[in-house]
Amino acid sequence: MALDFTAIDFETANGFRGSPCSVGLVKVRGGRAVERAHWLMRPPAGHDRFDPRNVAIHGIRPQDVEQAPRFAELFPEVGGFIGDDVLVAHNAAFDLGVIRSALEVSGMGAPAYDYACTVILSRRTYDLPSHSLPFAAQAAGVPLERHHDASEDAAACAGILVDIAARHGATDIDGLYATLGLALPRQPAFVPGVDEVSAATARALGGGSAPDRSGRTRTTASGPLGAGRAWAPWPQEGANPPANERADPSHPLYGHRIVFTGALGMTRAEAKSRSAELGAQPASSVTRATTILVVGDGFTATDLTAGRVTTKARRALELRARGQHVEVLSEGEFLQMLGGRWPARSA
């Protein structure tokens, strides 16, 4: 079999992952990019507010898409481009979630997709302080000049997958996952009126509380946690909830020991709770057991090379220098791994 797949990247208008405003796709055949596509779009009606935080990331403004088709109008063309390919994305749970949630709120069915995540594969291949797209692209020798341009990000993701497959001697994605002892993930199909909508969509449509994978019920952003919350100037560590043993093992946070530093856009307790739901074990300090450090206060992965780091981040880098595998994430990368939902606060 050949190394055939379609790489995909979405940009969203706001913190709800079902608000796509741009998509980039790259079709790969035999390990070579053979076709690219890029569309701007209006997010589904009722979910098309542009959050300044998102605009600051990707630069797409409401007026840029006002003449563009809605996602629901455009998806047949997007879906046709993908066909029966395995979808590949950097933090694939987010991009696959965009398709699912945007179709759910549009009242449309969603096809099933096998998918590969280059964050997961990067962690199994490269020794990096951060497995964000720019760092992984550099390790793969792939150019990335306009990060957060969906077309450029999809192309970089495609190049990363091709490089990782070559390093492991794999000739197709199934073989690559098998070599690494992983099962290729699959997002199931969705039939409106038959299947329950995803948790992210349920929150966007009705708010309140939604069950997580462990069966517990948690309060969501439109419920009490999101109403009139006071943001502490410096976060309190609080308790470290146990990792959810029933979480999805394919999620990029699953099985990691995670520590937080700096002020996030949510309370430290909420960050710990949401990461624990996804199978990570929160902790309060950086130790030899730490595998992920999430840094707030506007940190980006490129700050690592500029030396703008907190004490915990500096400790993590020291441990890396001694051979420990620990990764540093920005809050934005962490939020994408949570499904892209920004905390409920004023922009």
Side-chain angles (χ1 to χ4, degrees):
M1 295 179 65
L3 190 62
D4 298 345
F5 60 90
T6 293
I8 190 167
D9 181 78
F10 281 101
E11 301 297 332
T12 57
N14 55 66
F16 172 46
R17 67 186 186 183
S19 65
C21 58
S22 173
V23 64
L25 301 109
V26 175
K27 189 175 291 294
V28 173
R29 291 292 178 265
R32 294 182 178 275
V34 298
E35 190 174 359
R36 290 174 67 154
H38 175 254
W39 288 280
L40 291 175
M41 67 195 74
R42 284 183 294 156
H47 304 277
D48 49 5
R49 178 183 62 84
F50 277 72
D51 190 313
R53 289 169 291 196
N54 292 63
V55 174
I57 291 171
H58 52 57
I60 301 171
R61 303 163 298 171
Q63 56 267 38
D64 296 327
V65 302
E66 60 186 3
Q67 301 301 319
R70 292 277 186 194
F71 172 83
E73 300 172 62
L74 192 59
F75 186 74
E77 195 168 355
V78 174
F81 187 98
I82 298 168
D84 295 326
D85 278 4
V86 173
L87 275 176
V88 176
H90 204 71
N91 188 20
F94 173 77
D95 294 279
L96 271 292
V98 171
I99 293 176
R100 176 69 179 262
S101 286
L103 289 173
E104 287 173 338
V105 297
S106 299
M108 297 173 61
Y113 288 111
D114 291 324
Y115 65 91
C117 178
T118 49
V119 170
I120 298 291
L121 297 174
S122 175
R123 288 174 175 167
R124 298 292 186 106
T125 306
Y126 308 126
D127 182 14
L128 302 172
S130 168
H131 291 274
S132 63
L133 190 64
F135 276 75
Q138 184 178 35
V142 175
L144 178 59
E145 296 181 359
R146 299 193 305 276
H147 186 26
H148 295 300
D149 175 290
S151 179
E152 292 294 310
D153 284 0
C157 177
I160 291 166
L161 191 284
V162 170
D163 181 70
I164 288 174
R167 288 173 185 251
H168 292 284
T171 57
D172 57 51
I173 294 180
D174 283 328
L176 173 59
Y177 267 70
T179 297
L180 296 174
L182 302 171
L184 190 66
R186 182 174 179 83
Q187 176 164 282
F190 168 73
V191 179
V194 176
D195 298 320
E196 292 186 4
V197 299
S198 61
T201 299
R203 288 191 294 265
L205 292 177
S209 59
D212 64 23
R213 288 180 179 269
S214 68
R216 298 189 299 268
T217 297
R218 52 191 167 83
T219 306
T220 60
S222 57
L225 281 179
R229 181 185 297 149
W231 303 99
W234 189 255
Q236 300 297 313
E237 280 295 340
N240 294 304
N244 175 15
E245 296 179 355
R246 298 177 59 190
D248 181 0
S250 68
H251 193 278
L253 292 179
Y254 183 87
H256 284 275
R257 189 172 184 88
I258 190 168
V259 176
F260 299 89
T261 184
L264 305 175
M266 65 181 77
T267 64
R268 187 70 56 85
E270 185 178 354
K272 289 185 175 185
S273 175
R274 291 172 67 178
S275 59
E277 287 171 7
L278 294 168
Q281 178 55 62
S284 299
S285 58
V286 175
T287 68
R288 290 186 177 89
T290 304
T291 56
I292 290 180
L293 176 68
V294 177
V295 184
D297 294 318
F299 168 88
T300 63
T302 54
D303 288 339
L304 291 174
T305 57
R308 294 188 294 270
V309 294
T310 65
T311 300
K312 285 183 180 179
R314 188 171 293 107
R315 170 64 173 159
L317 293 177
E318 289 172 355
L319 289 172
R320 276 190 56 81
R322 299 175 191 170
Q324 180 171 324
H325 293 286
V326 56
E327 176 185 354
V328 181
L329 297 179
S330 68
E331 181 181 13
E333 292 166 325
F334 174 65
L335 283 167
Q336 274 208 330
M337 291 180 180
L338 297 182
R341 179 164 59 94
W342 291 105
R345 59 170 177 171
S346 57

